[in-house]
Amino acid sequence: MNLKTEVLIIGGGATGAGIARDLSLRRIPSLLIEKGDFLSGASGRNHGLLHSGGRYVVSDPEAARECIAENRILRKIAPHCIEETEGLFVSLPEDGLDFRDRFIQACEETTLPARLLSRDETLSLEPGLNPDLLSAVKVPDGAIDPFELVLANVKDAEAHGARCLLHTEITSLLVDGDRVKTVLAKDLLHGEEYLIEAAYIINATGAWADQLLKLAGLRTAMALSKGSMLITNQRLTHRVVNRCRPPSDGDIIVPNHTVSILGTTSIPLEDAENFEVTHREVSLLIRETSKMLPAIEETRFIRAYAGIRPLFQSGEKGDDRAISRGFVLIDHEKRDGIRNLITITGGKLVTYRLMAEKTSDLLCRKMGIDVSCTTHLNTLPGAEKPSGLKDRLKPLGKVEALCDCELVRREEVEEVLREGKLKDLQDILHRTRLAKGTCQGGFCVYRLLGMLNELGLTEGNPNKILKGFLEERWKGIRPVLWESAVKEEELIEGIYKGIFNL
Amino acid sequence: MHYDLIIIGMGLSGLMAAKTAAEAGRKVLIVGKGMGCLTLFSNTIDVLGKIPETTRLRDGLSQWIQDHPEHPYSKVGLTRIEEGLSSFTSLFYPPYIFQTIGDGNCFIPTGAGTMRPTYLIPDTMVAGASGKEKKGLIVGFKGFRDFYAGYVAGPLNWRGIALPLPETPGQEISATALSRWMEKESFRKTIGQEIKKNLSGETCVGVPAILGINDPIKVKMDLEEKIGVGVFEIPTLPPSIPGMRIFNRFKEWLIRRGVNFLSGYSISKASLKGKRCEGVYIHHPPVSSFYSADRLILATGRFIGGGLVAGRERISDPIFNLPVRQPGSQEEWFGKSFFDEHPIHRMGILTDSSLRPIDETGEPILENVRVAGTILSGHHCVNEKSREGIEIATGYWAAKKAMEQ
Amino acid sequence: MNKKPWPKSNPDVCIRCAACMAVCPVSRVTPLFPGPKQAGPGAERFRKTEDPSVDPWIDLCIGCHLCDLVCSSGVPISELNLIARAKYLDEKGRPLRDWLLTHSYLFSGIASFFSVITNFLLKNRAFKWIADAFLSIDRRRELPPYQSPTFRQWFRGHHSTGEKKIAYFYGCYINTNEMDVGKATVQVLEANNFEVILPPQECCGLPMLGNGNFKGARKMGLKNVPFLLKTIRSGVEIIFSSTSCGYMIRHDYSRLLNIPGSEEVAEHLFDLFEFLRNLRENGNLNTHFKEFPLKVAYFAPCHLRSLGIGLPALDILRLIPSLQIENIEADCCGLGGTFGFKKEKYDISQEIGKDLKAAINRLNPEIVLTDCEGCRMQIRHLTGLKVLHPIQILRDAWMR
Ligand SMILES: Cc1cc2nc3c(=O)[nH]c(=O)nc-3n(C[C@H](O)[C@H](O)[C@H](O)COP(=O)(O)OP(=O)(O)OC[C@H]3O[C@@H](n4cnc5c(N)ncnc54)[C@H](O)[C@@H]3O)c2cc1C
Ligand code: SF4
Ligand code: SF4
């Protein structure tokens, strides 16, 4: 099949979705193509920290400034995706106070609002923290739900004319002279092939940016690094907790809905597709984060996962002087003489909007049109929605919940289904909190399949999907199986291999 | 208080041990937290589902015993396994009885539309047994989240319908609530009519396993009369109502026999003297009570039951600290695929042939303690489909051997 | 209440197995209560102390502890529920009715004194209508009649003798409403050569705790424990005949209410039949029973089960020749302390009770026996049968 578009955006992470929205608000037609579901890359595999800028304030003030500004904007345009938790940078005895003092000074210089708290003040805010801590600096960190955020961007983009094609991979970029002339893509679920004609192409494939450029015979100086994270069964702190020292392994705890996320590691990686969280990383994360919050030694984990970040050699960063060093924006016309190709990668979830703005600005310059960005002025769809845990708890007893652990109602899933376009189970799981709780889908995915079956939405034997899900789930829980989690596993095996004889 | 025998653990193995000892007139205390796996998995009695479909169970078992000398079945032996099973079935009197179909395994439909092999089934499941050849209508209930008629019917090429529950529209309904409704004549009348209307040539009707807790046969027969075809139960997600019936029956029988039935409490400590255990402490904060006994049986199950505890790197028995045979580190406990046979499931307590715990050299560790149930090493009850068989056989045999002493 | 006096339990260990869902009497009869798995460890992941309570359904947990007994992971489910309920009720405010139901000890003395009038009122339809309309006490419920003299008054005129001493915590209800149970207890203990003494005592506080009033319950505990400590430190052990009061003092005083000295009290506090069973173990129980041909059914109250002492009354009553005694195979009676008195919960309470009634009907006894006054009240209400405390039968079966 042939497809035509003015702008082709490749990659359905925060960046791609942000660009689709930005362009649509500028009335520039676009088509977004993503090989999985939205958020199947790093956007769905991070801590969900709404950076205040604190984490970079010492090492990279410019990146910190971006975070400060974007943090403020996101609170305005996407309040429903954000929990204003505040964040603490705690100093432990072994950290000393040198870094803390530099930290406070850097905050002042970058206008990051920060307040020094004494040990007692800190412990009264978060009684679970290591009582030996020296002090903490309070900053406006927060928690952000990447799923809500990205999907809200997509929704807005589509409402303004953008189109999206999921589960479709770009397989070749055919260069003819100074242009990418045609693009080939393949529907990964049904095998259909597409031939796409696009005036401009934006490569927003994050860690896959290099791989994609290879299709056009180009390269960037990019390496991959894996960062692993652990999810606890319960929310351990109300605030984000960072270690007040130069960034290193296991130095952050981010609360997110019902859980907390501990991170992270940094391990060089060859392949962006095949990776797992290792035993060593799990031990390291627990050891390091429990220094800040001793209860972590005893706490229960429900999942381990990893995301991949692209790393750049310094040369790559200076390409466009107007752009900060927080992310990489490459105009391939300047660099490689290909006029209609732009690459945007790196950065943060928090700066996705800025990245989209700069990319769209560059595109407009290339297209010779003059419309300015409005994404920071308009709120995202859903902003009026209430958010928070209590809204899940309240209707119990009056409704049918499919997921016992995250209290996801059947109605909620039905609503997601009505919005359509869902091609597989993971698509539904991305759009609800189903299977994100204690049993990690042990009970509710069976129920979900039962319900889909009732609605005539499962093709063939639902057990095939169920088995696929159980294998996916296994990847996430296998690294954290001990204590209660082993019991849980025995239960789940007893159900699926035993009672259901799968 | 002093007892002839203390049984730790209230799963099927503990209950069988208590029954065996009470029958012999002993003074018995059974203590445990929870109901073992009875309310979770045990809808029917699996003995060895793994053997080929057409093999007689007897032959299958004796071959298995030959091939697997370390397996709990091999310690108990064929005759005693059969004695244990018949002791179990003798506990149930008509009309709610357990039976076999033929002399081997039978196949019953499951909540995922698969067929699963099992050995003894309650009367409420007979009409669905080996029923692939039949034409069935599967009936589910809206709001009952643990069973989906269409899901079950699909792979079996049957038909499924979901009936609305008039009293709780839009709300969810638990398995126990549904079971309770089933015990009401008026409810059966309504759904009976509804089901009858929906029949189109089907010769049997399958429902989730919720046909009442107290008198399931009455519920079943009454429904059959109203519908006109056979009705059967299909096991699904926990809690298991058929398992509860088993537990309740044991409990009733044991209490009537004067067994001290201490449900809800776990043992905090055992008092050991040389190679003997003198008794156990139950800690119910702030009070600790001591119960002494001549002999004890450890039947605390695996991880769910609390018989085995997995630390970050090691697996142990929290009561007697008996040696647990295990692979090295946590990394090696589980395979890469969910469907692998995970090494962790084979580990457990080593015993001699009379079920006394032994160390790696084969020396008994505690002379007056026996070990029964899935906590034993050398089996993979989920894959073998042997959970209840192992529990019954070893529970029975452990009590017999304990009393010989 | 700013700082919580209760322990924070860890719902992390819940493995979502749903075993607790198999036994909860409330979720068995109504979909309005999501059941222990959800209400306890499930909801706990969503609760933040600083957020207002949004779970009115938590008030439907009857507090029977049955879920705790079957959870093999050791989740203290009913305790999580109680704490959440306390928070909910603290915020919402408790109706006057709850105050009256939980403070009956305050006016029961006066009521007993004027028992003729009080009892007339309690049976009076108009009064019941008023109670129903203004206090939301369900009018279908019999309110317990007050007796005069009270047990304590009776005891004052009674001269107890025996070789050893034993102290008796009788509880409010025995004192003002069922004094014969107290009398029977004293007589049985005396027949075993014990001199009975009554330490000073107040309401144990369970009705308040059951209604999530930790502060009030703690106040009662703080009054009782010094009296009881004094008794045990003088070398006298204490027995109770009401399993609910007993459970409260033995376990909740220390675990939930943190009352100083309560651990020591707990070590020396026994259920009446547990005590008699111990006597028998040591060969010291007077077993001169006569033939007592009667068909009775015994019901083990929830609080007895949570005491974790087995069924001592059944063990002892079985010693009585020709007494036909069967254990009733049912769990909760449905009354749940003051739960079943409340208009909004009456139907739930009755539905739960129906299962017990059916189990009793299957046995068809002449008399029903049970150790808890709440259960006795409820079974009378449900079946119209004669319901006694087992000690009353034991006394009657004695050869004199
Ligand atoms: C461990 C870790 C923790 C992090 N924590 C935070 C944090 O707390 N806060 C924060 O702000 N940021 C955080 N980040 C950074 C943030 O996650 C990323 O910067 C951001 O998600 C990048 O979004 P993206 O859209 O550029 O890339 P991605 O989300 O990776 O999107 C790229 C998409 O392109 C698709 N794609 C690739 N190749 C093709 C192809 N050939 N055809 C079609 N589609 C293709 C992929 O499937 C993918 O969905 C973290 C990153 C990591 C790795
Ligand atoms: S509370 Fe206990 S019994 Fe209930 S689901 Fe959790 S682990 Fe199972
Ligand atoms: S205490 Fe009783 S009523 Fe409350 S949740 Fe547990 S079982 Fe249900």
Side-chain angles (χ1 to χ4, degrees):
Chain A
M1 204 166 100
N2 288 6
L3 294 173
K4 251 183 123 142
T5 177
E6 182 69 19
V7 183
L8 173 67
I9 304 165
I10 308 173
T15 313
I19 295 168
R21 174 174 186 243
D22 194 316
L23 294 180
S24 75
L25 293 180
R26 300 188 204 216
R27 307 248 171 272
I28 300 172
S30 70
L31 170 68
L32 182 152
I33 291 197
E34 160 60 51
K35 72 181 159 90
D37 184 19
F38 297 113
L39 294 136
S40 36
S43 300
R45 302 175 148 265
N46 55 61
H47 298 107
L49 169 69
L50 177 73
H51 284 276
S52 60
R55 282 178 78 78
Y56 310 107
V57 77
V58 174
S59 59
D60 188 349
E62 224 168 315
R65 279 201 187 89
E66 283 172 9
C67 288
I68 297 167
E70 287 302 305
N71 179 315
R72 290 196 185 120
I73 294 172
L74 287 180
R75 281 169 202 260
K76 264 201 315 242
I77 65 167
H80 62 302
C81 310
I82 285 172
E83 216 190 314
E84 307 206 2
T85 61
E86 300 181 339
L88 301 174
F89 278 78
V90 297
S91 304
L92 297 182
E94 60 262 48
D95 303 334
L97 294 176
D98 283 0
F99 185 83
R100 184 196 76 184
D101 296 341
R102 275 200 287 154
F103 182 86
I104 293 175
Q105 198 189 343
C107 286
E108 269 167 31
E109 285 164 15
T110 48
T111 72
L112 198 168
R115 198 165 87 81
L116 179 65
L117 303 177
S118 71
R119 170 183 171 276
D120 290 351
E121 282 175 301
T122 312
L123 290 175
S124 78
L125 290 180
E126 292 293 349
L129 289 177
N130 184 344
D132 295 336
L133 63 89
L134 303 175
S135 66
V137 183
K138 194 172 87 178
V139 294
D141 279 345
I144 185 158
D145 184 328
F147 293 93
E148 290 259 12
L149 180 72
V150 172
L151 294 172
N153 272 281
V154 171
K155 200 167 179 183
D156 205 27
E158 288 184 326
H160 292 91
R163 287 176 299 156
C164 303
L165 212 54
L166 296 178
H167 301 284
T168 303
E169 183 173 4
I170 301 299
T171 50
S172 22
L173 300 173
L174 303 176
V175 179
D176 185 1
D178 61 355
R179 301 177 59 83
V180 176
K181 191 108 190 272
T182 33
V183 179
L184 296 181
K186 183 173 179 182
D187 181 329
L188 296 180
L189 296 180
H190 303 102
E192 194 173 339
E193 310 250 358
Y194 298 103
L195 194 147
I196 306 166
E197 272 178 60
Y200 294 91
I201 295 157
I202 298 174
N203 170 15
T205 54
W208 290 265
D210 205 33
Q211 222 168 302
L212 190 90
L213 291 177
K214 264 194 225 161
L215 300 177
L218 306 174
R219 300 276 343 225
T220 57
M222 176 176 144
L224 300 179
S225 148
K226 172 182 69 163
S228 294
M229 289 149 286
L230 300 180
I231 306 184
T232 61
N233 178 44
Q234 284 188 84
R235 190 170 165 133
L236 302 179
T237 59
H238 184 62
R239 293 165 185 77
V240 177
V241 179
N242 300 272
R243 189 89 176 259
C244 196
R245 66 171 185 198
S248 94
D249 289 343
D251 63 356
I252 183 164
I253 304 165
V254 186
N256 192 301
H257 294 270
T258 44
V259 302
S260 287
I261 298 173
L262 318 184
T264 175
T265 56
S266 175
I267 295 184
L269 202 69
E270 294 292 317
D271 179 357
E273 301 291 341
N274 290 310
F275 54 90
E276 57 181 27
V277 180
T278 64
H279 192 66
R280 229 198 97 253
E281 285 178 286
V282 172
S283 308
L284 177 84
L285 285 171
I286 294 175
R287 197 175 61 235
E288 284 302 315
T289 50
S290 63
K291 289 181 184 158
M292 298 188 282
L293 195 69
I296 286 175
E297 278 287 347
E298 306 291 310
T299 205
R300 172 166 176 193
F301 297 94
I302 54 179
R303 199 161 94 87
Y305 66 110
I308 309 177
R309 18 178 131 73
L311 295 179
F312 297 93
Q313 252 91 76
S314 51
E316 203 69 74
K317 295 190 174 174
D319 258 318
D320 189 324
R321 243 145 278 280
I323 308 303
S324 133
R325 290 177 290 155
F327 50 85
V328 175
L329 176 63
I330 305 171
D331 181 352
H332 291 280
E333 180 173 3
K334 280 193 192 159
R335 208 188 77 154
D336 309 300
I338 308 260
R339 297 177 43 176
N340 64 343
L341 182 63
I342 298 174
T343 291
I344 172 80
T345 180
K348 299 270 121 197
L349 186 66
V350 176
T351 55
Y352 88 95
R353 194 209 61 83
L354 179 68
M355 292 159 73
E357 176 179 339
K358 297 292 177 199
T359 311
S360 306
D361 285 349
L362 174 62
L363 182 75
C364 286
R365 284 204 297 279
K366 292 168 83 76
M367 292 169 82
I369 43 181
D370 182 20
V371 248
S372 45
C373 174
T374 55
T375 52
H376 55 302
L377 302 175
N378 298 309
T379 52
L380 282 161
E384 66 295 339
K385 250 191 340 201
S387 69
L389 300 179
K390 51 184 192 302
D391 304 298
R392 299 196 163 275
L393 204 52
K394 200 170 172 178
L396 272 190
K398 299 212 178 72
V399 295
E400 188 183 342
L402 282 187
C403 169
D404 289 342
C405 305
E406 289 293 314
L407 306 179
V408 180
R409 286 167 291 123
R410 185 182 169 120
E411 286 167 9
E412 218 174 307
V413 178
E414 281 169 347
E415 201 181 305
V416 165
L417 291 174
R418 268 196 298 277
E419 287 183 3
K421 276 202 321 208
L422 306 185
K423 292 201 181 161
D424 72 6
L425 184 71
Q426 293 295 338
D427 293 3
I428 301 175
L429 300 186
H430 277 165
R431 283 158 184 78
T432 63
R433 290 211 37 96
L434 207 93
K436 294 195 174 69
T438 311
C439 78
Q440 291 283 300
F443 280 73
C444 58
V445 168
Y446 166 71
R447 292 176 183 151
L448 174 62
L449 288 169
M451 171 187 160
L452 293 177
N453 185 276
E454 269 173 15
L455 300 172
L457 294 175
T458 46
E459 290 161 26
N461 188 342
N463 285 334
K464 225 180 107 191
I465 310 175
L466 185 58
K467 282 183 170 175
F469 167 75
L470 288 168
E471 288 291 20
E472 256 322 289
R473 172 183 181 273
W474 186 247
K475 285 186 202 151
I477 57 171
R478 184 173 173 268
V480 290
L481 287 178
W482 61 82
E483 279 164 23
S484 302
V486 169
K487 293 172 130 198
E488 179 93 57
E489 217 28 54
E490 197 177 41
L491 174 73
I492 300 301
E493 275 189 57
I495 293 174
Y496 292 105
K497 298 183 187 176
I499 301 175
F500 287 171
N501 196 26
L502 287 180
Chain B
M1 293 251 281
H2 186 81
Y3 292 90
D4 294 333
L5 180 65
I6 293 181
I7 294 153
I8 311 169
M10 253 182 207
L12 192 49
S13 50
L15 294 169
M16 263 313 285
K19 172 178 187 270
T20 310
E23 246 163 356
R26 302 305 169 100
K27 188 174 170 199
V28 180
L29 166 70
I30 179 168
V31 46
K33 203 149 175 57
M35 314 185 216
C37 288
L38 280 171
T39 43
L40 307 179
F41 312 126
S42 302
N43 292 282
T44 63
I45 306 300
D46 290 355
V47 178
L48 195 57
K50 207 177 177 164
I51 55 176
E53 203 163 326
T54 48
T55 315
R56 293 197 325 166
L57 186 86
R58 213 158 192 261
D59 303 339
L61 267 176
S62 53
Q63 187 61 45
W64 184 267
I65 288 172
Q66 266 181 33
D67 298 345
H68 303 82
E70 295 282 306
H71 195 277
Y73 280 154
S74 308
K75 299 195 165 138
V76 180
L78 184 61
T79 327
R80 266 96 56 157
I81 298 174
E82 288 178 335
E83 280 169 25
L85 287 171
S86 56
S87 167
F88 170 84
T89 41
S90 73
L91 193 60
F92 296 85
Y93 49 86
Y96 194 73
I97 52 166
F98 279 84
Q99 52 186 287
T100 60
I101 307 286
D103 49 13
N105 285 316
C106 60
F107 281 76
I108 56 165
T110 76
T114 52
M115 296 299 277
R116 91 187 282 283
T118 186
Y119 185 60
L120 290 168
I121 56 175
D123 223 31
T124 49
M125 295 184 191
V126 171
S130 306
K132 241 182 186 156
E133 314 83 53
K134 301 176 189 163
K135 190 106 189 91
L137 175 71
I138 306 293
V139 177
F141 301 93
K142 293 208 166 119
F144 179 54
R145 308 168 301 157
D146 295 339
F147 187 86
Y148 296 87
Y151 193 143
V152 177
L156 296 168
N157 271 324
W158 290 353
R159 220 159 48 84
I161 54 165
L163 297 183
L165 295 171
E167 291 174 48
T168 55
Q171 285 169 310
E172 66 190 45
I173 173 109
S174 67
T176 48
L178 201 47
S179 299
R180 194 168 173 271
W181 279 0
M182 278 291 179
E183 283 170 352
K184 292 187 179 163
E185 158 77 28
S186 57
F187 180 72
R188 291 197 299 265
K189 197 167 160 200
T190 322
I191 61 151
Q193 277 170 358
E194 229 11 75
I195 297 174
K196 190 167 182 164
K197 255 197 288 180
N198 275 287
L199 275 184
S200 75
E202 283 93 354
T203 52
C204 53
V205 167
V207 294
I210 44 87
L211 289 181
I213 297 172
N214 293 309
D215 200 348
I217 299 299
K218 181 174 152 202
V219 174
K220 172 180 122 87
M221 298 211 314
D222 186 50
L223 272 179
E224 285 175 340
E225 199 185 301
K226 293 189 159 78
I227 303 170
V229 298
V231 172
F232 60 93
E233 290 188 301
I234 302 175
T236 188
L237 291 188
S240 155
I241 301 292
M244 265 179 84
R245 294 178 197 140
I246 299 177
F247 184 84
N248 288 348
R249 176 64 191 131
F250 267 102
K251 181 176 157 207
E252 181 191 349
W253 191 94
L254 292 173
I255 289 179
R256 186 170 294 151
R257 283 295 179 111
V259 168
N260 193 359
F261 193 89
L262 222 54
S263 112
Y265 297 92
S266 44
I267 301 298
S268 51
K269 205 169 77 186
S271 159
L272 303 181
K273 199 166 180 191
K275 286 196 160 195
R276 286 183 67 80
C277 171
E278 308 205 293
V280 288
Y281 290 89
I282 297 181
H283 187 59
H284 183 4
V287 186
S288 242
S289 326
F290 182 67
Y291 297 86
S292 61
D294 298 333
R295 324 159 179 84
L296 297 97
I297 292 178
L298 179 71
T300 40
R302 297 184 71 77
F303 301 100
I304 295 178
L308 297 176
V309 173
R312 282 263 286 281
E313 291 292 349
R314 268 193 57 73
I315 291 169
S316 58
D317 142 41
I319 297 178
F320 295 110
N321 199 18
L322 297 171
V324 178
R325 179 186 280 174
Q326 52 189 283
S329 86
Q330 188 265 349
E331 253 183 306
E332 297 161 55
W333 291 353
F334 293 97
K336 293 261 175 191
S337 155
F338 175 75
F339 290 96
D340 283 352
E341 262 203 35
H342 306 301
I344 191 171
H345 297 317
R346 283 200 179 279
M347 49 180 91
I349 309 283
L350 300 173
T351 65
D352 62 14
S353 63
S354 69
L355 300 179
R356 265 182 314 187
I358 51 171
D359 61 20
E360 293 287 341
T361 67
E363 264 304 294
I365 299 169
L366 291 168
E367 311 238 291
N368 66 337
V369 172
R370 317 264 158 182
V371 186
T374 52
I375 191 175
L376 293 165
S377 71
H379 66 90
H380 195 311
C381 64
V382 173
N383 281 31
E384 292 162 12
K385 305 257 174 324
S386 59
R387 182 192 303 278
E388 292 80 17
I390 290 177
E391 291 175 330
I392 290 172
T394 57
Y396 170 79
W397 184 232
K400 282 268 176 203
K401 287 307 273 184
M403 287 182 305
E404 271 174 21
Q405 212 169 22
Chain C
M1 241 185 294
N2 34 21
K3 273 278 167 259
K4 286 182 294 176
W6 51 70
K8 185 81 185 146
S9 324
N10 186 4
D12 249 10
V13 291
C14 170
I15 61 163
R16 322 303 290 146
C17 70
C20 51
M21 295 296 291
V23 296
C24 175
V26 178
S27 62
R28 189 176 67 218
V29 303
T30 174
L32 294 174
F33 181 62
K37 170 176 164 179
Q38 299 283 74
E44 200 59 18
R45 294 176 67 242
F46 289 81
R47 294 189 183 115
K48 289 195 236 155
T49 12
E50 58 277 14
D51 275 359
S53 289
V54 290
D55 38 12
W57 41 260
I58 195 70
D59 200 26
L60 296 178
C61 165
I62 202 168
C64 65
H65 295 272
L66 291 171
C67 47
D68 306 342
L69 298 183
V70 301
C71 174
S72 63
S73 299
V75 181
I77 313 167
S78 64
E79 193 176 299
L80 293 170
N81 291 355
L82 182 61
I83 292 168
R85 209 156 99 234
K87 180 163 183 281
Y88 167 72
L89 292 170
D90 280 351
E91 286 170 19
K92 177 182 150 257
R94 293 175 174 77
L96 171 65
R97 182 263 332 261
D98 288 12
W99 191 88
L100 288 175
L101 284 174
T102 59
H103 288 71
S104 56
Y105 72 94
L106 283 181
F107 40 84
S108 55
I110 315 167
S112 281
F113 188 74
F114 295 109
S115 60
V116 182
I117 309 169
T118 332
N119 291 341
F120 169 76
L121 276 180
L122 293 177
K123 289 215 172 78
N124 183 292
R125 298 237 320 257
F127 176 81
K128 282 188 159 191
W129 185 84
I130 293 168
D132 186 310
F134 294 105
L135 300 174
S136 293
I137 293 175
D138 200 284
R139 81 183 83 164
R140 289 163 288 183
R141 190 56 78 184
E142 292 284 326
L143 290 164
Y146 285 96
Q147 288 176 336
S148 181
T150 63
F151 169 64
R152 218 178 160 96
Q153 284 163 349
W154 170 82
F155 190 81
R156 228 173 271 150
H158 172 86
H159 182 64
S160 184
T161 51
E163 264 173 38
K164 287 159 289 170
K165 282 186 183 171
I166 183 85
Y168 179 25
F169 189 97
Y170 46 83
C172 313
Y173 195 78
I174 300 301
N175 190 33
T176 52
N177 302 70
E178 259 187 331
M179 64 150 329
D180 188 55
V181 174
K183 239 160 132 176
T185 306
V186 171
Q187 287 162 348
V188 168
L189 290 166
E190 286 171 353
N192 281 289
N193 224 342
F194 281 94
E195 178 196 337
V196 179
I197 56 172
L198 303 186
Q201 52 190 280
E202 298 268 353
C203 169
C204 67
L206 181 65
M208 294 180 197
L209 185 68
N211 281 279
N213 180 357
F214 277 70
K215 212 169 157 186
R218 187 149 198 274
K219 216 159 85 193
M220 303 315 289
L222 287 171
K223 282 192 196 160
N224 278 318
V225 166
F227 298 142
L228 302 179
L229 265 182
K230 202 167 153 204
T231 311
I232 59 164
R233 286 186 181 159
S234 70
V236 180
E237 308 211 292
I238 307 169
I239 54 105
F240 54 83
S241 58
S242 158
T243 42
S244 322
C245 306
Y247 185 85
M248 174 80 177
I249 302 174
R250 191 144 132 179
H251 299 292
D252 290 341
Y253 271 14
S254 60
R255 185 171 160 79
L256 282 176
L257 301 175
N258 233 331
I259 293 169
S262 53
E263 274 101 349
E264 196 181 332
V265 170
E267 296 280 335
H268 300 276
L269 180 75
F270 300 92
D271 169 70
L272 170 59
F273 276 93
E274 181 188 22
F275 183 77
L276 296 176
R277 192 173 62 183
N278 288 346
L279 286 184
R280 171 160 158 81
E281 272 282 296
N282 304 324
N284 295 330
L285 183 74
N286 173 347
T287 50
H288 296 288
F289 298 114
K290 59 185 173 207
E291 291 282 322
F292 206 75
L294 191 67
K295 195 172 169 200
V296 299
Y298 173 74
F299 177 66
C302 297
H303 275 119
L304 174 74
R305 290 175 221 215
S306 352
L307 275 168
I309 54 175
L311 306 173
L314 203 57
D315 294 342
I316 296 297
L317 291 175
R318 278 186 178 139
L319 302 172
I320 302 174
S322 0
L323 180 74
Q324 266 190 64
I325 182 162
E326 289 282 354
N327 184 47
I328 300 171
E329 287 301 320
D331 34 48
C332 179
C333 77
L335 187 70
T338 58
F339 184 100
F341 280 95
K342 300 174 185 173
K343 198 172 168 181
E344 67 278 16
K345 295 169 186 154
Y346 178 81
D347 290 329
I348 293 177
S349 159
Q350 282 310 94
E351 278 298 306
I352 298 172
K354 273 187 196 161
D355 296 355
L356 171 58
K357 184 179 171 183
I360 295 176
N361 287 346
R362 284 196 286 273
L363 298 175
N364 190 24
E366 294 166 70
I367 295 181
V368 179
L369 304 177
T370 183
D371 320 55
C372 161
E373 50 277 345
C375 302
R376 287 198 291 278
M377 222 184 292
Q378 170 83 332
I379 297 172
R380 278 180 208 126
H381 179 70
L382 288 166
T383 63
L385 286 170
K386 184 169 179 186
V387 188
L388 298 175
H389 189 289
I391 199 70
Q392 293 171 288
I393 289 288
L394 195 70
R395 177 209 31 212
D396 296 345
W398 233 289
M399 295 229 253
R400 257 172 263 267

